[in-house]
Amino acid sequence: MERNTSVINAAELSGLGRASERSRLWRRMGRHYQLYLLLLPCIVFFIIFSYIPMAGLVLAFKDYQFNKGIFGSPWIGLTYFEMFFQDPQSIQLIRNTLIISAMKVFLALPFPIILALMFNEVRNSRLRNLFQGIAYLPHFFSWVIVVGMLQRILAPDTGLVNQVISWLGGDGSTFFLMEESAFYPTMFWSYIWKDVGWSSIIYYAAIVGINPALYEAAKMDGANKWRQIWHITLPGIRPTIIVLFILSLGNILSAGFDQIYLLKTPGNMNVSEILDTYIIYMGLESGQFGFGTAIGMMQGVIGLILVLTVNQVAKKWFQSSLW
Amino acid sequence: MTLNRTHLWSKLTALTIVFSILLTACGGSSEPNAAKEAGTEKEAAAGKPSTWIADRKIKGLIFMGSDVTEGMNPDIAKKLKEMTGIELELQAVGHDGSKKALAAGLAAGDLPDFIGYYLNHSGRPEMELVNKAAREDMFHDLAPFLKDTNIYKKYTEDDYLPLDTKYGVLFRPEFNGSAYTIHLNIPREGGYEVRKYVPGPYIRKDIADSLGVDPRSITTSEQLYELAKKIKDGNFKDKNGKDIYPIGPTVWGGIDRDVLYNDLVWTGFNGEGFKRDGNGVILHESQTEYGLKRAEFVQKLIREKLMHPEYYSMEENRAKEGVLNDSFAIIGDVHNYVIENKDNRYIPLGPLNSVDGSYQMNLTYKGGYGAWSIPKTTNNPEDIVKLADFLASREGKLLWKYGLEGRDYDLDAKGNPVPKQEVLDLLDKDPVKAKELGFAGVGNDWGWYLGGTDLNDLADFGEASYGEAAKPDVNKGPLEIAQYWRYDEKKQQANIKDGYAALAFIGEFGKGTQLNMALDKYKESLIRAYYAKDLNEAKAILDSAAAQLKTAGLDDYIKLLKKKDQDPKTKLLF
């Protein structure tokens, strides 16, 4: 009897504890309601444009019929996935996508960090603002403009690069955009040029957030600039680097449609045909929405698995993670 | 107290629901209303012109992007309303890809009273999308309505429609006599051509004169190569004093067109790459050596700097600028009606022979171009069919092709329209302003999307194209070129055929999408082969593309083509 009472008491206590926790949460939310109101549009945005459309993923398992709509169309199981893997191109598509993504995720990672460190070392704030402005600007150009510029710069005979080659005594008629070997450098460096400034913003903000007392202490201990960067700045922004890296892994099977689509030519199609361009051709242009959705879903699921795995690894090894 | 209030609210809510249901039930179905409206229409039609259809607004969604002019001239819209009771509103979509837009539009299902789309033959990819929608009961069957029309009823007569339009587009056997897609642009008589088009490569006349070459004597790719070498050695300059390229791209930009090396292309009747060999066996170009022969030829041209390196990729605006500046001695492909060559600086070269021997003009018996359908959600679809029939009649065409009598044209003694001089002058001076007058003669084709068929302007209006009678020199330049090229002579000896395009059956082929993709890949591979380091690399590229086509079912598709060709209703064009 006594034992039973103690059990009831524990349950009651636990229930009461949860209730009081809930009421504390509501009170806290009430105290900061302005902040929650500011958050509300974001939550509504994601619900409307990210979560509700996820219901459409069922299309990946359905034979979409115009008159029956997404939910009324008949189920066809994993047919689209089988179709994709039976396509002789699928391996090449996945390989190309992974190579381009890996270049953007791994090789491109140090560039914005280095740029942020450089911004941090510019003492004159006006000069720093000017450099930052110049570095951010390309982010606001669409890929159509950037690739248009590249076409002119890399054009055979008349392009800037070929003019320089001719001036140096070379042939000057190389059609770089038709060369398979020129595709990766063109893709990578144009990506860096366009996005390095914008990506450096978060790193720079993280650097600014590091306690200045740490630098002063290091200086007093005789640490030079490189030592300060190595022992204070980089460890200080490590959580930011890890979080951004994990987030970027979510898009590992999406190599950036606009840029690749525009840079794709018959000459480089062996390395530039990626899953996104394939989805556009098969899914949208051929009206096979279910097939397109299945490939898109596969990209998303693999991205999600990678994010979850790497997040756990980062939590264990670096004590930094998304959650 | 609280409980009482809850009860009260529950009762009020229940009463409201019951009342709403009662009201809905009293409303009845919409059909009797429609019938009632139709009855009212009939009463209202009394005292109206014979062309009267119904007092309603008709909205059309046209998947042809920038080819569509959305707005109607208010006076012409008013006239149409007076004549038919219809207020027509067109909306254009598909500026970044008509097929993509059509697929998305059909999937969204939210379609207006009618839709219009590109469809030159049943092999065009749009056809399969429309067929899928028809199979899934998205469109009205228009066959019963066609019988009650004046012009469109010709579509149900024997020998009026070309084979592909009749059995591939309109009355597909799978639909058992129903018609969901109405093909447009059907000429009244077979082999009817409004304009004397002279397509192909053109050469700068001053260069041909300077070299003492008759461009018409160039009939093989080898002769073209020798000519290009002579041009290069001649050090000719453009309008800015800069060196020129012997061979530049087409006036429309970087496109791989057969006409530049026609004797090296297994092109087929209409350029799809399927053709019969000497024994009558159907082969695709990938199964022949012509791809490699062409790669060898183009590699030679590029290597010796006889061809512009961006021949296959140049943007249209740069190509046009090049033509206007005379920067290319030879334009890869152009025709005699383009405004960039209004002064005939460039004259036609060739035409080059084909792989079968000397050049012969190929014409289809009749060909369609666009098409329209009426979604199942549209009430009284017969109104739209009647409007289409009116627009296809002489009276309707007079309105959308010539505008308003008194304002835009006068009638001559024979009853044919004579455009007013001020309209023709405005068209010359300011085509954009002239277009605001809102009829096809000045560039607004609003009536074509439903009524552009049963074509024979010469019989209907006394002239083959707008303004020719009033201003005989309106096509002076193009006709001079046609005469120089001996168009009439070539047309007399033309090969006029009726039948199906090679890709007309791709929709019913199991691996159709994969084969389509592999065919596109083959075309891209050809360009890759042109730019390959040497012939060995080109061969490897083309072999790989050919293997991909084989995997995608090319052999089975050719078997299907043979089978189709045995049926007189589905015989091939080639």
Side-chain angles (χ1 to χ4, degrees):
Chain A
M1 187 72 183
E2 199 179 310
R3 203 172 149 200
N4 279 348
T5 316
S6 75
V7 170
I8 291 163
N9 285 345
E12 276 178 353
L13 278 173
S14 136
L16 281 172
R18 273 201 299 273
S20 70
E21 207 173 284
R22 265 204 302 273
S23 72
R24 266 207 306 277
L25 178 69
W26 282 113
R27 269 206 303 278
R28 210 164 53 233
M29 285 177 76
R31 255 202 318 277
H32 303 295
Y33 75 93
Q34 299 95 331
L35 295 177
Y36 285 99
L37 274 179
L38 284 174
L39 192 64
L40 195 64
C42 270
I43 294 171
V44 172
F45 176 88
F46 279 107
I47 288 173
I48 294 174
F49 295 107
S50 296
Y51 283 87
I52 294 176
M54 273 190 209
L57 285 177
V58 291
L59 255 186
F61 309 99
K62 290 196 159 209
D63 176 18
Y64 181 69
Q65 293 184 3
F66 294 138
N67 56 336
K68 291 184 177 160
I70 295 176
F71 300 105
S73 296
W75 294 95
I76 54 158
L78 299 173
T79 308
Y80 294 134
F81 296 93
E82 278 171 36
M83 256 171 76
F84 175 68
F85 286 106
Q86 276 169 7
D87 189 332
Q89 288 184 83
S90 58
I91 300 299
Q92 189 194 20
L93 290 168
I94 294 174
R95 194 195 64 198
N96 290 348
T97 310
L98 282 175
I99 291 173
I100 295 170
S101 287
M103 287 176 79
K104 289 182 174 179
V105 171
F106 299 105
L107 286 188
L109 183 71
F111 290 89
I113 300 170
I114 294 168
L115 188 67
L117 292 172
M118 286 163 71
F119 285 150
N120 190 45
E121 296 308 319
V122 180
R123 292 286 153 241
N124 184 323
S125 63
R126 280 192 167 185
L127 201 60
R128 186 173 59 236
N129 289 345
L130 177 72
F131 288 153
Q132 283 178 315
I134 292 168
Y136 300 160
L137 195 64
H139 173 79
F140 298 98
F141 295 157
S142 88
W143 272 113
V144 178
I145 296 170
V146 176
V147 174
M149 280 160 46
L150 279 173
Q151 282 169 347
R152 298 280 51 79
I153 292 168
L154 299 173
D157 296 341
T158 53
L160 184 67
V161 176
N162 273 307
Q163 295 265 326
V164 172
I165 292 171
S166 314
W167 184 64
L168 293 172
D171 176 32
S173 65
T174 312
F175 196 170
F176 290 105
L177 293 176
M178 276 285 178
E179 300 255 331
E180 201 172 294
S181 57
F183 174 74
Y184 287 130
T186 312
M187 177 277 299
F188 182 72
W189 291 113
S190 60
Y191 171 75
I192 293 289
W193 178 78
K194 188 173 182 301
D195 272 342
V196 70
W198 186 254
S199 308
S200 71
I201 293 176
I202 296 180
Y203 295 115
Y204 181 67
I207 292 171
V208 170
I210 296 171
N211 187 352
L214 294 173
Y215 291 103
E216 281 163 24
K219 259 187 224 167
M220 286 169 73
D221 289 342
N224 63 17
K225 271 274 169 248
W226 293 111
R227 287 273 162 206
Q228 288 174 36
I229 289 172
W230 188 254
H231 291 290
I232 301 171
T233 314
L234 285 176
I237 62 170
R238 193 174 68 181
T240 313
I241 296 172
I242 290 172
V243 165
L244 290 181
F245 174 70
I246 295 170
L247 285 174
S248 67
L249 284 174
N251 294 322
I252 194 83
L253 278 186
S254 178
F257 171 73
D258 308 15
Q259 182 199 14
I260 308 300
Y261 187 73
L262 293 164
L263 281 175
K264 194 162 81 86
T265 65
N268 62 32
M269 67 179 187
N270 256 7
V271 289
S272 61
E273 193 80 74
I274 57 170
L275 286 171
D276 295 292
T277 53
Y278 183 73
I279 288 173
I280 290 290
Y281 185 89
M282 294 291 279
L284 296 186
E285 289 183 2
S286 305
Q288 296 199 41
F289 299 104
F291 188 76
T293 309
I295 312 299
M297 187 182 169
M298 191 180 74
Q299 287 178 299
V301 169
I302 292 175
L304 180 68
I305 292 168
L306 269 175
V307 167
L308 292 174
T309 314
V310 177
N311 190 54
Q312 282 306 107
V313 172
K315 202 173 188 176
K316 199 173 170 186
W317 289 359
F318 304 106
Q319 290 78 47
S320 290
S321 61
L322 290 173
W323 59 86
Chain B
M1 183 69 182
T2 317
L3 204 66
N4 282 345
R5 254 189 211 172
T6 314
H7 270 293
L8 186 65
W9 276 113
S10 310
K11 276 181 186 171
L12 275 173
T13 314
L15 270 173
T16 316
I17 292 168
V18 169
F19 190 62
S20 311
I21 291 169
L22 274 172
L23 277 179
T24 317
C26 291
S29 75
S30 58
E31 277 175 25
N33 273 353
K36 201 174 165 188
E37 272 172 28
T40 321
E41 288 301 339
K42 269 181 194 167
E43 284 158 28
K48 300 283 182 191
S50 60
T51 48
W52 186 260
I53 298 166
D55 185 5
R56 69 176 281 189
K57 185 173 185 171
I58 289 176
K59 282 187 185 179
L61 188 62
I62 313 295
F63 294 92
M64 297 185 187
S66 54
D67 283 353
V68 183
T69 307
E70 288 182 326
M72 273 184 78
N73 174 281
D75 297 330
I76 290 185
K78 195 176 154 208
K79 183 73 180 169
L80 179 71
K81 181 82 185 165
E82 281 169 16
M83 293 175 89
T84 62
I86 304 288
E87 187 188 333
L88 183 65
E89 186 185 310
L90 296 179
Q91 199 187 343
V93 283
H95 294 78
D96 65 335
S98 56
K99 186 179 132 198
K100 206 161 61 181
L102 180 65
L106 292 171
D110 183 23
L111 299 172
D113 297 313
F114 76 94
I115 60 167
Y117 39 89
Y118 291 121
L119 194 78
N120 36 1
H121 55 74
S122 67
R124 198 169 160 124
E126 280 88 343
M127 188 78 248
E128 192 39 37
L129 289 171
V130 176
N131 285 342
K132 178 174 157 63
R135 275 179 220 120
E136 293 169 9
D137 202 27
M138 271 191 82
F139 296 134
H140 279 291
D141 171 16
L142 303 176
F145 304 127
L146 293 181
K147 287 170 196 154
D148 300 328
T149 55
N150 295 316
I151 305 297
Y152 271 105
K153 79 172 172 207
K154 293 182 184 180
Y155 277 32
T156 60
E157 292 167 4
D158 289 339
D159 301 328
Y160 180 79
L161 292 177
L163 266 182
D164 180 48
T165 297
K166 190 168 185 178
Y167 298 113
V169 178
L170 254 98
F171 304 106
R172 292 178 69 87
E174 63 172 313
F175 296 135
N176 299 316
S178 297
Y180 300 101
T181 303
I182 307 297
H183 216 184
L184 282 170
N185 231 36
I186 308 295
R188 201 172 295 156
E189 288 84 26
Y192 174 79
E193 296 276 321
V194 176
R195 286 177 156 188
K196 293 181 176 180
Y197 277 108
V198 179
Y202 276 51
I203 184 169
R204 251 173 64 182
K205 189 172 180 306
D206 61 323
I207 292 178
D209 291 345
S210 162
L211 294 173
V213 174
D214 179 355
R216 292 169 295 187
S217 66
I218 307 294
T219 54
T220 66
S221 48
E222 208 42 49
Q223 287 173 343
L224 180 78
Y225 166 71
E226 293 300 331
L227 176 63
K229 280 210 296 193
K230 276 188 199 167
I231 294 169
K232 190 166 186 279
D233 294 341
N235 286 319
F236 295 99
K237 305 286 177 193
D238 69 6
K239 282 180 182 167
N240 301 319
K242 290 187 175 173
D243 288 343
I244 59 166
Y245 284 98
I247 302 174
T250 80
V251 74
W252 305 283
I255 312 168
D256 188 5
R257 290 272 167 90
D258 301 345
V259 285
L260 188 70
Y261 25 57
N262 213 30
D263 57 345
L264 300 175
V265 191
W266 191 260
T267 182
F269 191 86
N270 52 355
E272 289 170 306
F274 289 87
K275 209 181 96 63
R276 290 173 202 272
D277 67 6
N279 301 320
V281 178
I282 299 172
L283 293 173
H284 179 257
E285 189 183 73
S286 63
Q287 298 166 318
T288 71
E289 57 189 1
Y290 284 97
L292 196 61
K293 279 187 178 180
R294 201 152 73 249
E296 187 181 8
F297 178 67
V298 175
Q299 282 186 2
K300 191 165 67 174
L301 292 179
I302 294 176
R303 200 169 44 243
E304 295 179 27
K305 295 187 184 294
L306 300 175
M307 176 188 255
H308 196 292
E310 290 177 273
Y311 183 92
Y312 298 96
S313 60
M314 190 180 284
E315 305 88 338
E316 187 173 354
N317 57 339
R318 285 180 58 219
K320 289 206 156 136
E321 194 186 335
V323 171
L324 289 170
N325 284 333
D326 289 355
S327 303
F328 317 127
I330 296 170
I331 306 170
D333 188 18
V334 62
H335 63 69
N336 47 334
Y337 287 89
V338 300
I339 52 167
E340 287 79 9
N341 190 33
K342 241 180 170 178
D343 51 2
N344 289 355
R345 298 181 324 281
Y346 286 88
I347 51 174
L349 188 148
L352 265 64
N353 297 336
S354 73
V355 293
D356 295 325
S358 299
Y359 171 85
Q360 188 181 18
M361 188 188 277
N362 282 330
L363 291 174
T364 45
Y365 162 65
K366 286 181 182 183
Y369 189 62
W372 53 273
S373 299
I374 303 181
K376 222 32 187 294
T377 45
T378 303
N379 286 330
N380 300 335
E382 64 274 17
D383 291 348
I384 290 137
V385 178
K386 282 179 192 163
L387 176 66
D389 198 49
F390 165 74
L391 293 171
S393 68
R394 186 184 183 274
E395 209 171 355
K397 280 181 186 143
L398 200 56
L399 180 63
W400 66 263
K401 285 193 173 192
Y402 283 85
L404 299 171
E405 191 184 350
R407 190 194 76 170
D408 304 314
Y409 69 88
D410 296 313
L411 291 174
D412 67 9
K414 291 178 187 166
N416 287 326
V418 182
K420 287 199 174 267
Q421 194 55 46
E422 56 263 35
V423 176
L424 293 172
D425 291 345
L426 185 64
L427 189 59
D428 263 351
K429 280 183 207 150
D430 190 351
V432 177
K433 187 86 185 152
K435 196 175 177 181
E436 289 171 12
L437 291 169
F439 55 93
V442 291
N444 184 342
D445 285 300
W446 61 268
W448 182 85
Y449 307 103
L450 283 173
T453 196
D454 194 41
L455 306 173
N456 191 339
D457 283 9
L458 195 59
D460 286 343
F461 308 119
E463 56 183 11
S465 63
Y466 177 81
E468 256 183 30
K471 211 175 170 185
D473 61 348
V474 71
N475 285 322
K476 190 170 167 258
L479 291 175
E480 275 173 5
I481 293 270
Q483 196 182 2
Y484 170 81
W485 195 71
R486 301 176 191 121
Y487 178 94
D488 293 331
E489 195 183 305
K490 288 185 170 68
K491 198 182 169 190
Q492 271 178 1
Q493 295 159 4
N495 182 17
I496 300 177
K497 278 201 162 187
D498 188 17
Y500 285 75
L503 294 178
F505 310 101
I506 200 115
E508 61 186 85
F509 183 59
K511 285 174 149 182
T513 312
Q514 286 95 321
L515 184 59
N516 246 336
M517 196 167 185
L519 287 166
D520 286 349
K521 275 266 147 84
Y522 175 75
K523 284 181 193 161
E524 287 184 342
S525 298
L526 275 168
I527 296 174
R528 219 175 125 216
Y530 300 159
Y531 286 94
K533 277 201 301 286
D534 52 38
L535 210 55
N536 288 334
E537 192 182 317
K539 187 173 182 326
I541 291 167
L542 292 178
D543 286 349
S544 159
Q548 209 170 328
L549 273 165
K550 215 173 168 58
T551 314
L554 178 66
D555 294 338
D556 291 335
Y557 189 69
I558 289 175
K559 275 183 203 158
L560 176 71
L561 287 180
K562 281 181 201 160
K563 200 176 134 200
K564 292 283 177 186
D565 198 37
Q566 283 159 8
D567 183 344
K569 282 184 179 174
T570 54
K571 67 177 178 156
L572 300 169
L573 256 176
F574 58 95

